[in-house]
Amino acid sequence: MSEKQTGHSLESGMSTVSPTNGSNEKANDNFLNHKVLDELEKPAQIQKVVQEAILLAGGAAAILLQVAEPGVGKGVDEHSNFAYRPMDRLRTTMTYVYCMAFGSRSEKVAVIEMVHRAHAVVKGPNYSADDPQLQLWVAATLYAVGIELYQQMFGKMTEQEAEGIYREYSVLAVSLRVKPEMWPASRRAFWEYWDHQVETMEITENARRVAHDLLWNKELPLHIRLLLPVVRLTTAELLPKRIREAYGLKSTKLRRGAYRVTLGLTKATYPCLPKTIRTYPMRYYLKDMRRRLRNVA
């Protein structure tokens, strides 16, 4: 796979709580401060990656990787209506990513506040959604899956370009209450952290329930349920082997062949699509975000 070919491989609803009146005070606390907002001001390199609709193809894989962390799995399974609205987490995540990459400064403040307030109530005896280690892992999955799919479609980046994009992805972690020094200093350090996480995580029943609700959900509209076999195929091939097998997903010779054919056809056609089509989800989610912010203002 492209990102780690020379060393490693991926294989080895916004809260409706309205923002507080003290937004300016919030912007000065330890996590939502001017430095973070300055770094988010013009993330030109990350914009090039996250604007692409193809990243949505890795949404299920990113979610399953996130909930593979037991604390995240408990939070999602025990504090959300995932079984009935499984697409909400994807919507919330992508809205957050798009806002951090393309939103105005005031929009970023409002969305970060909403996420922090939503996380504040997600806690239990052995976990808290505000735990920086959990949020570091969530941000790591967004980078790993996103950069993998992007390079599958557009080819391998230069070292300079790849490092620049990697550094900009760190702001997603920092805005989720992760201290800047917790984000691995380089891509090499990142993949070492990644491999350690993958090799030591144990898939819990919470995570398995989320996976079932995501990949075999009968509550979804018919047109989405018809796509689930393709989603399961893509997700299985994007997940590291150990995580895939722990979820009970299969990767047979036939399935790998089908995935290669699907990937080949997509790679041949997707980059040729007009940019207005490739960026439609980004524009849709940003429009939806702005409508929601107006409604809670």
Side-chain angles (χ1 to χ4, degrees):
M1 290 186 173
S2 53
E3 169 64 8
K4 299 168 70 182
Q5 278 179 344
T6 58
H8 302 275
S9 164
L10 261 179
E11 181 63 31
S12 66
M14 281 171 55
S15 169
T16 56
V17 178
S18 59
T20 61
N21 293 329
S23 293
N24 290 334
E25 293 179 5
K26 275 280 188 180
N28 289 317
D29 72 15
N30 290 334
F31 301 103
L32 183 50
N33 56 43
H34 290 299
K35 182 178 180 181
V36 172
L37 293 170
D38 288 343
E39 291 174 348
L40 288 167
E41 194 69 34
K42 294 181 180 179
Q45 297 186 77
I46 194 177
Q47 287 180 347
K48 180 175 66 174
V49 175
V50 303
Q51 71 179 348
E52 296 292 343
I54 193 64
L55 267 62
L56 294 174
I63 290 172
L64 294 194
L65 283 163
Q66 289 166 19
V67 299
E69 211 305 324
V72 180
K74 283 185 178 181
V76 174
D77 186 36
E78 298 178 1
H79 292 267
S80 72
N81 55 357
F82 201 88
Y84 298 99
R85 302 180 68 179
M87 300 305 291
D88 276 5
R89 184 172 181 86
L90 177 61
R91 176 191 191 185
T92 303
T93 300
M94 296 314 299
T95 297
Y96 187 84
V97 171
Y98 291 142
C99 182
M100 294 307 106
F102 294 95
S104 68
R105 192 180 185 94
S106 62
E107 288 168 346
K108 290 168 184 174
V109 170
V111 170
I112 290 171
E113 284 185 6
M114 286 182 174
V115 172
H116 288 177
R117 294 187 67 182
H119 284 173
V121 298
V122 180
K123 60 181 63 177
N126 302 313
Y127 66 94
S128 168
D130 276 336
D131 184 338
Q133 293 291 348
L134 302 189
Q135 296 304 336
L136 174 61
W137 176 244
V138 169
T141 67
L142 298 178
Y143 171 75
V145 175
I147 207 68
E148 176 68 23
L149 283 168
Y150 183 85
Q151 292 193 116
Q152 283 183 352
M153 290 300 106
F154 297 100
K156 189 176 179 180
M157 302 174 184
T158 65
E159 284 295 311
Q160 181 179 4
E161 184 181 21
E163 285 292 342
I165 290 172
Y166 172 72
R167 286 193 297 272
E168 288 192 359
Y169 257 94
S170 70
V171 298
L172 297 182
V174 173
S175 58
L176 288 171
R177 298 182 182 267
V178 175
K179 293 181 179 179
E181 59 269 23
M182 291 176 65
W183 185 253
S186 66
R187 285 160 55 236
R188 184 182 187 88
F190 174 87
W191 292 118
E192 290 175 354
Y193 159 77
W194 178 268
D195 289 342
H196 173 75
Q197 291 291 99
V198 167
E199 290 304 315
T200 57
M201 284 181 176
E202 297 297 332
I203 304 302
T204 64
E205 286 304 312
N206 298 106
R208 291 190 181 92
R209 280 194 292 270
V210 172
H212 183 272
D213 292 338
L214 180 63
L215 300 177
W216 287 274
N217 196 296
K218 296 182 180 179
E219 301 292 333
L220 292 171
L222 178 60
H223 67 282
I224 297 181
R225 293 206 308 272
L226 292 175
L227 294 174
L228 286 182
V230 177
V231 172
R232 289 193 291 268
L233 173 68
T234 302
T235 301
E237 295 305 321
L238 284 174
L239 290 175
K241 180 180 179 181
R242 182 175 181 273
I243 302 296
R244 176 177 64 236
E245 292 178 348
Y247 276 120
L249 297 173
K250 298 179 179 179
S251 179
T252 64
K253 184 177 181 179
L254 180 61
R255 288 171 181 266
R256 290 191 295 274
Y259 177 74
R260 285 194 295 270
V261 170
T262 302
L263 180 62
L265 291 173
T266 304
K267 186 174 181 178
T269 56
Y270 177 82
C272 300
L273 293 174
K275 191 173 181 179
T276 53
I277 295 177
R278 301 197 332 252
T279 60
Y280 174 77
M282 177 267 293
R283 290 182 285 110
Y284 171 83
Y285 280 117
L286 285 176
K287 183 178 179 180
D288 179 67
M289 174 200 73
R290 286 164 181 150
R291 176 183 60 81
R292 286 167 165 260
L293 290 178
R294 287 195 299 269
N295 289 341
V296 300

